[in-house]
């Protein structure tokens, strides 16, 4: 038996690491990967709760979130490719056309 | 039983262990007159470069060891303790009780290591491959949590399709960004605020998790998490979200194609040049 708090702590650590990646990294590809990491941590929380309560609802949510992550990755990476074509950069600090 | 947090004592101890002993500095010898940077002789320059390169390699290895060790050691210690304690005891059906727990801790440690390496690698290809490690480990944890269908979906969709998409884009646009290490301190007040917010969030989660009102996970039915149960759930209770997410996927595909399409003017110019 896996205690639910252990799953939650692992998920919180993974979520925190993903958040650190989003805040600290400037390469937009790694920022997107960190977002995937955070989504993954949330999925782990949902599956942990589903197991703890013996219900299937959390697993249904997780299934939907995985499909959502696929859509998010497709659109996000398409935007990255479009930005790279026009600006020749993947650094999020250099994509500041709206600023000036 | 809760996991101990990373104590400050561990980190300090590791810092002291990793500190360069004073004898190593003494063995480097006194600097030439005028200091290392002023020395004109090529031998002096070469030894300086070698020393700097060695120092840099050492520092990088030491830092990554320190960060992963500081997280992994407190994480694994109770795992090994409980594994040693519970693997001897057998459940009523004769299967060892600690099997799922050992699986969880091993894959959890792998997932944490992969996550740390994902956000610290400079090369996006390495980061993507370590993210694959994290995602596959999460699939293993799903198996330990009796979510077998989700484990298969995790490996197929997440570690398969999504990461292949990432690798494709990384290969076509991404080169290691040399300026990134410099810009780590740029806009530091914003980053400090972000890190403080992360600390507050993790602290809050830890407080909630520490409360004892989580019921112990009891045994579940043999069919729990199977394809059949997931299908019944998705096509009865969650029929509308299921259909909505399929429309969302369609919209995302069309949107991705539209965003990456070359502008019509540019395309016609390309044809004219040909």
């Amino acid at each position: 038996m896996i205690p639910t708090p252990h799953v939650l702590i692992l998920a919180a650590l993974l979520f925190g690491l993903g958040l650190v990646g989003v805040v600290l990294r400037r390469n937009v590809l790694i920022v997107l990967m960190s977002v995937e990491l955070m989504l993954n941590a949330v999925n782990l929380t949902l599956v942990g709760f589903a197991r703890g309560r013996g219900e299937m609802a959390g697993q249904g949510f997780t299934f939907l979130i995985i499909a959502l992550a696929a859509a998010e990755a497709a659109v996000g990476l398409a935007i990255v490719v479009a930005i790279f074509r026009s600006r020749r950069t993947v650094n999020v600090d250099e994509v500041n056309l709206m600023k000036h | 039983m809760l996991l101990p947090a990373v104590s400050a004592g561990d980190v300090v101890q590791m810092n002291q262990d990793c500190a360069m002993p004073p004898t190593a500095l003494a063995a480097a010898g006194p600097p030439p007159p005028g200091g290392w940077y002023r020395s004109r002789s090529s031998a002096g320059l070469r030894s300086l470069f070698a020393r700097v390169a060695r120092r840099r390699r050492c520092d990088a290895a030491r830092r990554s060891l320190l960060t992963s060790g500081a997280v992994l050691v407190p994480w694994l210690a109770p795992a090994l303790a409980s594994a040693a304690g519970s693997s001897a005891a057998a459940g009523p059906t004769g299967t060892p009780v600690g099997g799922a727990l050992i699986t969880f801790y091993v894959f959890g440690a792998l997932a944490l290591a992969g996550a740390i390496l994902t956000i610290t690698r400079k090369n996006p290809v390495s980061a993507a491959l370590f993210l694959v490690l994290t995602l596959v480990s999460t699939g293993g944890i799903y198996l330990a949590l009796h979510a077998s269908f989700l484990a298969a979906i995790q490996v197929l969709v997440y570690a398969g399709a999504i990461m292949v998409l990432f690798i494709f884009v990384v290969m076509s646009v991404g080169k290691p960004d040399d300026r990134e290490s410099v810009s780590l301190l740029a806009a530091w007040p914003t980053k400090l605020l972000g890190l403080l917010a992360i600390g507050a969030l993790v602290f809050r989660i830890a407080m909630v998790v520490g409360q004892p009102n989580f019921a112990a996970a009891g045994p579940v039915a043999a069919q729990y998490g199977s394809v059949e149960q997931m299908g019944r759930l998705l096509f009865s209770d969650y029929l509308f979200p299921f259909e909505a997410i399929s429309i969302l996927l369609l919209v995302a595909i069309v949107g991705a194609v539209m965003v990456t399409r070359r502008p019509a003017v540019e395309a016609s110019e390309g044809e004219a040049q040909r």
Side-chain angles (χ1 to χ4, degrees):
Chain A
M1 295 306 141
I2 302 168
T4 308
H6 289 204
V7 184
L8 298 184
I9 289 174
L10 174 64
L13 284 174
L14 285 176
F15 189 89
L17 284 170
L19 207 49
V20 167
V22 170
V23 171
L24 286 185
R25 297 305 301 261
R26 300 270 61 89
N27 188 330
V28 65
L29 289 163
I30 296 185
V31 169
L32 275 178
M33 286 180 210
S34 303
V35 171
E36 298 289 334
L37 204 57
M38 291 162 70
L39 279 170
N40 203 48
V42 172
N43 281 345
L44 192 58
T45 307
L46 284 170
V47 175
F49 270 126
R51 174 70 185 86
R53 295 172 60 85
E55 291 177 357
M56 286 293 293
Q59 295 197 15
F61 283 149
T62 304
F63 181 84
L64 298 177
I65 291 178
I66 289 177
L68 190 86
E72 175 252 331
V75 174
L77 290 173
I79 293 174
V80 169
V81 169
I83 288 176
F84 185 77
R85 269 198 199 138
S86 64
R87 311 276 315 229
R88 290 282 142 196
T89 181
V90 287
N91 191 326
V92 290
D93 282 341
E94 295 176 12
V95 186
N96 51 5
L97 197 63
M98 301 280 279
K99 203 170 163 184
H100 302 294
Chain B
M1 181 190 62
L2 282 178
L3 292 173
V6 180
S7 70
D10 288 350
V11 178
V12 169
Q13 181 60 37
M14 282 185 193
N15 266 327
Q16 283 170 351
D17 289 348
C18 283
M20 188 175 270
T23 51
L25 283 178
W36 291 115
Y37 295 97
R38 297 272 175 82
S39 79
R40 292 281 180 199
S41 72
S42 65
L45 267 184
R46 211 177 300 136
S47 75
L48 172 69
F49 283 147
R51 190 164 295 129
V52 168
R54 198 167 51 232
R55 168 88 56 89
R56 204 168 274 168
R57 265 202 311 275
C58 264
D59 276 357
R62 210 176 285 149
R63 216 178 297 128
S64 55
L65 265 183
L66 184 69
T67 46
S68 25
V71 174
L72 289 187
V73 168
W75 177 254
L76 274 180
L80 295 178
S82 59
S86 61
S87 62
T93 55
T95 53
V97 173
L101 203 58
I102 295 170
T103 313
F104 170 72
Y105 278 116
V106 169
F107 279 120
L110 278 175
L112 277 180
I116 291 169
L117 290 166
T118 300
I119 64 170
T120 52
R121 291 306 93 182
K122 191 173 241 182
N123 190 342
V125 179
S126 318
L129 291 178
F130 282 120
L131 185 57
V132 170
L133 173 69
T134 299
L135 296 176
V136 171
S137 305
T138 315
I141 295 173
Y142 288 173
L143 271 186
L145 287 170
H146 293 267
S148 48
F149 177 65
L150 277 183
I153 291 292
Q154 172 88 6
V155 173
L156 283 178
V157 175
Y158 239 127
I162 296 181
M163 289 320 291
V164 165
L165 194 61
F166 261 100
I167 297 271
F168 255 94
V169 174
V170 166
M171 295 285 182
S172 59
V173 308
K175 55 183 188 304
D177 200 348
D178 295 334
R179 285 157 298 186
E180 172 136 8
S181 60
V182 181
S183 73
L184 196 64
L185 278 179
W188 63 269
T190 320
K191 288 175 180 167
L192 190 65
L193 270 180
L195 286 178
L196 282 179
I198 292 167
L201 177 72
V202 171
F203 177 70
R204 188 69 200 137
I205 293 174
M207 275 179 65
V208 172
V209 160
Q211 289 173 358
N213 55 1
F214 286 109
V220 289
Q223 287 296 306
Y224 178 79
S226 65
V227 185
E228 185 190 343
Q229 286 223 340
M230 280 297 285
R232 282 186 194 284
L233 188 75
L234 286 175
F235 287 105
S236 61
D237 291 346
Y238 290 126
L239 184 60
F240 180 71
F242 185 74
E243 298 297 336
I245 209 105
S246 60
I247 294 175
L248 177 79
L249 269 177
L250 178 67
V251 171
I253 292 168
V254 175
V257 171
M258 285 299 292
V259 167
T260 51
R261 199 183 56 161
R262 291 176 189 282
V265 181
E266 195 184 322
S268 61
E269 275 177 0
E271 283 173 12
Q273 282 173 359
R274 245 185 282 138

